[in-house]
């Protein structure tokens, strides 16, 4: 049984190594809704270990604790718990498109498990089904066959409203073409996921994240006033802001020059690692595979382990 | 299952709502602000659409408020009012006694409330009320005590119309002032009754002799008001247009005998008013009314009934068209936001959140449009109210003043929000259902409707049009005497309009598709323009509807006007009434003031050389309930000159005491030949045997024609308002008219030939069509707005395509030509459809018109109007393309191609 520790409150810059004793949960309780967690009060980025308490938490309890700490903005709670659960599971997922007479099999019985905190590179030539896989994983597209389990829930069974909520809570998207809303400023774009999830004052969190992605001082620019690299930074901040467990990035550097692309790629992986989220990164750039824990190859809709990882 | 603490983000419901509101605000409202022009256009469209509905509301509300305040002013301190079985002289002395004897009545004041005209040498004649009151009783109109001036009135009353005998009258200083004013245009001789100069010799306003030079038209002729006393309290009532006379004088001057028009009742202190009302009701009988004292005179409803239903039809149509336009604007703006909605969905916005955007946008635009519409409605209401006012003043002496309250604007905003949201529902639903992934990767553009689908929709709507026209026909058949018929006719009319609109929406793109096939190999730009129009059937359809609606409405309105004119002229030239009409006022005969033709006039008319017959026409109103008055008509020489819907066309039978009823009355009371009409008379209910139902449009069909003997028996001898004089063979109407005028029979006598009457009647009918013309002008604007918005919005989406064209060598001038020719082609097609589909509209309106106006007219198609409105509509469409064309010309090619 492996341990995966996830951290909420990503606004803490110094994240201890995964598995550091003070933050690891006891693994005696594995039940999903009653976890053993360690709560620590954090002041000015210094962890006061003495204040860490171990708690048995039910789902409701967790909620209460989170709220309790949220009300004290000078403090941040760090919550760690054991998780053996995968963030995403694709079980024999197939997706076909019809174009006139022709039927295109974009995904062919794809099988994939993404564990919490894992970084996966999804390689493959153009048209191999990378985007389709990400869309299906994110509930933007329903598969023709197979099941998609996101955060323990089979999302193929959800209706549009439930699906939207699941996306809101668990997933952050980063697209090749940034997909920012042109009518909103950078910071408004970033706070949008929080607003959609019912947060009343998401500005601080959004601004801090923008700061971290290197866009401090440019919060109030509109997308039209930003460079491609800057727009993608905004998009990454937006994907991370709601602390999703899973980031789905579809060729995030595909529309950038290679120098900018490399910087953005570094930033993305670093930020994702910081937050402890899992990342599935579709790209046809084999060098991206080096940053990943695992690399997978898609060819004509079929997934296989990639040799690129060893290179 | 979720093992993440992020689930803890689930906040309370209230938080969610606040947050969604914020999302909406920053997204939805920022859109409105960023697209100011489009928002403005949407507001204009909604404003135009709601303004007609609002004008109906404002007019209705103004009529009711004006009449009520007028009624209340006159009522003074009285709590109840008894109205007789006829508005003129319906209450006998006997009835007054019965009222006084009723328990709980402290005082009961009988009044004569005559409506007449006061005139003077120096000013335009004014309609005023002559209120006859008796000083032995407590007075209405809030006068405290009986003015001494009235008390001293001599009981010696003028026995004949003569300048020497003048009534003691109380007049408002304001009226005196107005009547003494020297008109800039001198004396308007052609005007109604201003040429009465007999009997006046006083210098206006000289030596404190109030009323010098002023004359009152009465049933006994022109009566000078020399010696009238001023009473300041009267200034407040209708700007002083109220003259008080001693009751006996008024009865004498207005042919009331010993009767009165109304009785104002003051209750004993502490008496229960509802109980007193009930007691009075049983005391006076059902043919008289007992109402709160401020209740407006029932005659005032006649005016509203003549105009408001038509206005309502127009308003409903206009609102519908506004909704279509807003629908177009909202769906186009959503079209632009498909990508954005997909992004929102990817970020986890729920379908309902995405729907909220367009709905909120529709609501905000609607609210603003509704407020603009209220202001527009006020502008439209003004002329309508003034038309109504002339009616209500001649009917009851009460003017219609525009009443606008903040509530009016709230109502306008509400209607606007309703329309805006309604228009946004479908686009919103579509936005919520859009495929996200396809949208994000620029795939999944929905496929346009196929020509086959368009053709089948067009066929279906044309078939529906046919069915609806049949419905109109069935609805009006045989005078629409069945109670279900008007409902069928009206709903069929609406279905006709709707199906014609749907047909336009599907035929217009079909025309484009067909034309593109034909133009293949022809001029490139035209072909390109046609392709653009053919590619987006929905948009082309909406623009075509807007253009077609303005042309179609002009066509329908003008044709209807012609029909009415033809109908009136047929009725005036037929039936042997090829003569001249003599009356005291040059108004149409069904609405008259109280000054009628004295008996001696008829005798003297008959003696004018060249006169063959003089047919005196007498009318009275029967009933006391607003909206249920019946006009009773009789003439000394009855003719059966109207189309008979049911019953016998036998003059002999008629002369034996049978009656003919108008279609609306027959429908309302379910009357048929062989039955009886129960009618209210001063002596109780009378039961008149019905000979038939005929196409008499008087009082929109609420009328009964009775033999003169019946009239006299039931209502006593009546003076005629109009005498139709037929010339002897060889004498032309014009010559006869000249001779009658030369005979100086009576001061201020109006002598009109049939063609003059026709002109008058037509102008009154045309006045009722005024709202249609307002609608038409609004629709021209709407067409302009529709084409402008559509081309502008489409332009944004088409930037890439335009840039491509530019990259392969299309010049900026070429782009301009492309956009303009698109608009021109569209204008042409829309106008053509407006004409083509206007025909069913003309037919449908002509079919159902009798239900609104009381008589049917021959079908006419006014093609001449098209010569004006077709070019106008095309011009509006082309003009609307100027701005989009300019935008296209200034397009930054590189940016547009690069534009993500
Ligand atoms: N909405 C769609 N309609 C039709 N074909 C599609 C659609 N989406 C994807 N495809 C096809 O499915 C295949 C896989 O596409 P995609 O997942 O976008 O590949 P990749 O992202 O690896 O380039 C391609 O052949 C593409 O043309
Ligand atoms: Mg792709």
């Amino acid at each position: 049984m492996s341990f995966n520790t996830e951290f909420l409150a990503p606004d803490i810059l110094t994240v201890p190594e995964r598995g550091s004793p003070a933050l690891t949960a006891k693994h005696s309780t594995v039940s999903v809704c009653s976890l053993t967690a360690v709560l620590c009060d954090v002041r000015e980025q210094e962890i006061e270990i003495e204040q860490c308490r171990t708690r048995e938490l039910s789902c409701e309890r967790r909620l209460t604790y989170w709220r309790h700490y949220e009300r004290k903005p000078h403090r941040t709670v760090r919550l760690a718990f054991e998780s053996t659960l995968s963030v995403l599971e694709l079980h024999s997922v197939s997706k076909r498109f019809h174009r006139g007479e022709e039927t295109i099999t974009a995904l062919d019985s794809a099988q994939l498990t993404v564990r919490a905190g894992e970084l996966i590179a999804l390689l493959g030539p153009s048209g191999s089904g990378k985007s389709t896989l990400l869309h299906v994983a994110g509930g933007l597209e329903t598969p023709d066959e197979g099941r998609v389990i996101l955060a323990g829930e089979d999302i193929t069974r959800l209706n549009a409203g439930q699906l939207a909520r699941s996306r809101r809570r668990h997933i952050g998207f980063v697209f090749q073409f940034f997909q920012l809303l042109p009518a909103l400023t950078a910071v408004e774009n970033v706070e949008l996921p929080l607003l959609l999830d019912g947060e009343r004052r998401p500005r601080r969190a959004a601004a801090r994240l923008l700061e971290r992605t290197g866009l401090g001082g440019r919060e109030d620019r509109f997308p039209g006033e930003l460079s491609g690299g800057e727009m993608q930074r905004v998009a990454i901040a937006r994907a991370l802001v709601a602390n999703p467990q899973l980031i789905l990035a579809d060729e995030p550097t595909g529309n950038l020059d290679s120098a900018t692309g490399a910087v953005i790629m570094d930033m993305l992986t670093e930020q994702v690692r910081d937050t402890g989220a899992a990342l599935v990164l579709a790209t046809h750039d084999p060098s991206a595979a080096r940053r990943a824990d695992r690399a997978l190859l898609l060819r004509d809709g079929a997934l296989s382990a990639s040799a690129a990882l060893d290179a | 299952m979720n093992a993440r603490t992020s689930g803890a983000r689930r906040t309370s419901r209230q938080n969610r709502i606040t947050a969604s509101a914020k999302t909406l605000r920053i997204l939805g409202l920022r859109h409105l602000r960023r697209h100011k022009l489009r928002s403005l256009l949407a507001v204009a469209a909604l404003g135009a659409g709601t303004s007609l509905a609002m004008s109906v509301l404002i007019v209705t509300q103004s009529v009711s408020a004006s009449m009520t305040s007028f009624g209340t002013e006159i009522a003074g301190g009285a709590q109840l009012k008894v109205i007789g079985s006829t508005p003129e002289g319906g209450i006998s002395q006997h009835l007054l006694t019965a009222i006084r004897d009723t328990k709980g009545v402290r005082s009961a004041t009988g009044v004569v409330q005559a409506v007449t005209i006061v005139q003077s040498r120096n000013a335009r004649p004014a309609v005023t009320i002559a209120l006859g009151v008796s000083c032995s009783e407590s007075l209405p109109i809030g006068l405290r005590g009986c003015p001494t001036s009235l008390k001293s009135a001599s009981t010696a009353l003028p026995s004949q119309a003569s300048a020497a005998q003048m009534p003691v009258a109380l007049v408002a200083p304001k009226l005196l002032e107005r009547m003494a004013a020297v008109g800039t245009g001198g004396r308007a001789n052609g005007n109604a009754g201003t040429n009465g100069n007999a009997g006046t010799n006083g210098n206006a306003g000289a030596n404190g002799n109030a009323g010098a030079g002023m004359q009152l038209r009465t049933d006994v002729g022109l009566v000078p008001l020399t010696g009238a006393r001023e009473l300041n309290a009267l200034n407040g009532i209708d700007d002083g247009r109220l003259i008080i006379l001693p009751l006996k004088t008024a009865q004498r001057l207005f042919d009331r005998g010993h009767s009165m028009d109304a009785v104002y009742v003051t209750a004993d202190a502490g008496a229960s008013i509802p109980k007193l009302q009930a007691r009075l009701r049983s005391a006076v009988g059902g043919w008289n009314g007992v109402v709160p004292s401020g209740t407006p005179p029932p005659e005032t409803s006649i005016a509203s009934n003549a105009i408001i239903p038509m206005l309502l039809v127009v308003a409903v149509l206009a609102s519908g068209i506004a909704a279509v336009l807003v629908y177009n604007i909202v769906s186009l703006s959503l079209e632009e936001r498909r990508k954005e909605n997909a992004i929102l969905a990817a970020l986890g916005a729920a379908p309902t959140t995405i729907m909220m955007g367009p709905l909120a946008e529709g609501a905000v635009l609607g609210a603003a449009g509704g407020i603009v519409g209220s202001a527009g409605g006020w502008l439209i209401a003004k002329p309508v109210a003034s038309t109504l006012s002339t009616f209500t003043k001649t009917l009851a002496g009460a003017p219609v003043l525009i009443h606008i309250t903040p509530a009016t604007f709230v109502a306008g905003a509400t209607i606007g929000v309703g329309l805006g949201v309604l228009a946004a529902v479908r686009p919103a639903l579509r936005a919520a259902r859009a495929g996200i992934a396809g949208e994000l990767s620029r795939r999944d553009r929905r496929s346009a409707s196929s020509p086959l689908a368009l053709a089948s929709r067009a066929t279906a709507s044309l078939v529906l049009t046919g069915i609806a026209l049949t419905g109109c026909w069935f609805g009006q058949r045989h005078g629409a005497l069945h109670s279900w018929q008007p409902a069928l006719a009206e709903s069929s009319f609406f279905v006709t309009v709707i199906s014609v609109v749907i047909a336009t929406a599907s035929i217009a793109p079909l025309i484009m598709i067909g034309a593109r096939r034909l133009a293949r190999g022809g001029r490139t730009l035209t072909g390109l323009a046609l392709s653009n129009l053919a590619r987006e059937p929905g948009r082309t359809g909406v623009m075509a509807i807007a253009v077609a609606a303005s042309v179609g409405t002009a066509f329908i309105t003008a044709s209807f006007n012609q029909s009415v004119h033809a109908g009136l002229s047929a009725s005036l030239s037929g039936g042997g009434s090829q003569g001249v009409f003599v009356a005291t006022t040059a108004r149409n005969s069904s609405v008259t003031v109280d000054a009628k033709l004295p008996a001696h006039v008829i005798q003297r008319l008959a003696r004018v050389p060249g006169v063959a017959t003089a047919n005196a026409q007498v009318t009275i109103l029967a009933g006391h309930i607003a909206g249920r008055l019946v006009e009773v008509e009789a003439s000394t020489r009855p003719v059966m000159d109207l189309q008979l819907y049911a019953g016998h066309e036998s003059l002999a039978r008629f002369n034996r005491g049978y009656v003919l009823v108008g279609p609306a009355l027959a429908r309302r009371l379910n009357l048929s030949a062989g039955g009886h009409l129960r009618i209210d008379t001063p002596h109780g209910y009378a039961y008149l045997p019905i000979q038939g139902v005929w196409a008499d449009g008087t009082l929109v069909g609420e009328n009964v024609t009775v033999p003169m003997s019946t009239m006299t028996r039931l209502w006593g001898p009546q003076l005629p308002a109009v005498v139709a004089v037929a010339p002897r063979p060889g004498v032309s109407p014009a010559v006869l008219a000249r001779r009658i005028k030369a005979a100086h029979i009576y001061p201020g006598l109006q002598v009109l030939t049939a063609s003059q009457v026709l002109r008058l009647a037509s102008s009154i009918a045309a006045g009722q069509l005024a709202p249609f013309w307002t609608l038409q002008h609004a629709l021209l604007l709407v067409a302009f707005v529709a084409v402008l918005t559509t081309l502008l919005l489409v332009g944004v989406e088409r930037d890439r395509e335009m840039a491509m064209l530019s990259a392969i060598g299309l010049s900026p001038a070429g782009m301009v030509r492309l956009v303009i020719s698109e608009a021109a082609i569209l204008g042409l097609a829309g106008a053509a459809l407006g004409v083509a589909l206007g025909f069913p509209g003309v037919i449908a309106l002509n079919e159902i018109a009798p239900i609104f106006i009381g008589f049917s007219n021959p079908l006419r198609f006014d093609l001449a109007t098209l010569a004006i409105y077709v070019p106008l509509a095309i011009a509006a469409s082309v003009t609307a393309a100027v701005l989009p064309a300019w935008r296209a010309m200034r397009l930054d090619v590189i940016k547009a191609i690069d534009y993500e």
Side-chain angles (χ1 to χ4, degrees), chain B residues 689-700:
Chain B
I690 298 168
Q691 173 174 352
V693 183
W694 68 349
D696 188 344
T698 309
L699 209 66
V700 289

Side-chain angles (χ1 to χ4, degrees), chain A residues 97-99 104-106 124-133 141 250-251 298, chain B residues 438 441 443-444:
Chain A
F97 294 106
H98 304 277
R99 204 186 279 148
I104 300 157
T105 305
S126 183
S128 58
K130 303 185 294 295
S131 298
T132 305
L133 187 142
E141 200 115 60
D250 192 353
E251 304 195 34
L298 247 182
Chain B
S441 45
R443 286 196 187 94
D444 205 29

Side-chain angles (χ1 to χ4, degrees), chain B residues 796-832:
Chain B
V796 172
E797 212 178 74
R798 243 196 246 151
D799 276 353
R800 270 170 83 92
E801 194 180 306
M802 288 296 225
M804 243 100 84
L805 285 173
S806 170
I808 60 169
L810 183 67
S811 68
M815 288 206 206
V816 170
R817 259 184 289 137
L818 178 62
V819 177
I820 299 270
S821 45
E822 233 172 272
I825 292 170
L826 192 110
L828 216 68

Side-chain angles (χ1 to χ4, degrees), chain B residues 534-549:
Chain B
R535 196 175 43 183
E536 295 282 358
R539 286 170 195 173
T540 305
V542 170
M543 291 192 282
I545 287 174
V547 177

